[in-house]
Amino acid sequence: MPAVSTAIYLKNKMNINTEKVFLIAQDAFKTTLEEHGIPSFGLGPVGIKQVHEWGDFEVDKSVKYVIVTYDPYYCHTKLTEAYLYIKENKAEFIAPDCDNFFAVSSTRKVPGSLSMQAGLSAVLEEKPRIMGKPDPLFFELIQKEHGEMNLSKTIMIGDNYNTDIKFGFNCGISTALVLTGNTKPEDIASFGGKQPDFVLGGLGDINDDLENTKFLRG
């Protein structure tokens, strides 16, 4: 969904004929942009540049948007190119999501998209425009495409408190935390502040009739 919301955002803002998008992401993200008529470049592995080589790098002045999300080929070369577009072109720095971790097994997490955005944010001394959760812009774009929703009958279900559940809070809708991914039962006490409305052991606990769903809490 962050790729779709980013595509919708760009489609309504950029001039496709004169402006370019530098993309740090995976293949599927580029495909989603293309499905919405938005070309991009920067995908895949790149040749490594030494620091002294950047003095002769010609910055393409037509690059007005820089998208940074998870990229298995992320490196200092990509970071530097993104930095130059944002710093010298005033390109908009966009983060489709800000996941701090990816759960790769029941006992292990690895750094997520946030780890790739944080270095760029630090040297730029600015935060990116977040397209996905927990920013409510994502919800606004969804409603723009599909029509207004009845907030009292809408619920956000997810396994990540920092993105999914906070997204629900920011959008003014009910929230249900699922304990099968990023969040474990023992993590709940560490959240502090506002708590999810409901807690689920797994998605399999959800009943077609939400009132009969087996909530662990709520």
Side-chain angles (χ1 to χ4, degrees):
M1 286 302 291
V4 174
S5 62
T6 303
I8 294 170
Y9 176 77
L10 291 175
K11 188 175 181 179
N12 288 304
K13 186 175 183 180
M14 72 178 290
N15 185 328
I16 296 175
N17 296 318
T18 61
E19 297 177 333
K20 294 180 181 178
V21 176
F22 179 61
L23 179 64
I24 296 177
Q26 299 186 84
D27 291 349
F29 202 103
K30 181 179 177 66
T31 298
T32 298
L33 292 182
E34 290 175 344
E35 288 172 349
H36 287 77
I38 300 168
S40 63
F41 73 100
L43 204 67
V46 296
I48 300 301
K49 285 183 178 292
Q50 299 301 318
V51 173
H52 68 271
E53 296 180 78
W54 287 104
D56 297 325
F57 180 75
E58 186 174 341
V59 175
D60 185 341
K61 298 301 181 184
S62 65
V63 177
K64 299 299 182 183
Y65 301 92
V66 172
I67 299 173
V68 182
T69 183
Y70 173 71
D71 180 354
Y73 300 108
Y74 187 72
C75 60
H76 182 267
T77 296
K78 288 194 174 189
L79 180 150
T80 303
E81 187 169 353
Y83 169 83
L84 291 174
Y85 292 136
I86 298 169
K87 194 71 174 178
E88 298 186 12
N89 287 1
K90 306 299 181 185
E92 185 172 2
F93 177 18
I94 297 173
D97 63 276
C98 55
D99 290 323
N100 50 354
F101 293 106
F102 296 141
V104 294
S105 74
S106 60
T107 58
R108 177 172 293 169
K109 298 177 183 178
V110 297
S113 305
L114 182 61
S115 65
M116 300 178 184
Q117 298 150 359
L120 194 52
S121 289
V123 295
L124 288 166
E125 297 184 330
E126 71 173 79
K127 294 181 179 180
R129 183 52 160 126
I130 300 172
M131 289 290 108
K133 302 167 293 185
D135 196 295
L137 173 65
F138 184 28
F139 194 58
E140 293 168 14
L141 291 170
I142 291 173
Q143 293 191 92
K144 187 173 182 179
E145 285 288 298
H146 302 287
E148 292 291 322
M149 299 180 187
N150 185 333
L151 301 188
S152 67
K153 295 184 177 181
T154 304
I155 186 170
M156 177 64 204
I157 300 173
D159 66 357
N160 189 315
Y161 179 85
N162 286 319
T163 55
D164 302 324
I165 303 307
K166 286 186 177 179
F167 175 69
F169 295 161
N170 293 339
C171 297
I173 58 179
S174 298
T175 56
L177 180 67
V178 182
L179 302 177
T180 52
N182 282 299
T183 305
K184 303 304 177 188
E186 58 270 23
D187 296 332
I188 297 176
S190 67
F191 293 154
K194 193 170 183 179
Q195 296 286 306
D197 297 301
F198 308 99
V199 177
L200 292 162
L203 289 174
D205 292 341
I206 300 175
N207 192 288
D208 289 338
D209 178 359
L210 198 59
E211 292 182 359
N212 293 325
T213 292
K214 297 178 181 178
F215 292 112
L216 296 181
R217 198 191 77 209

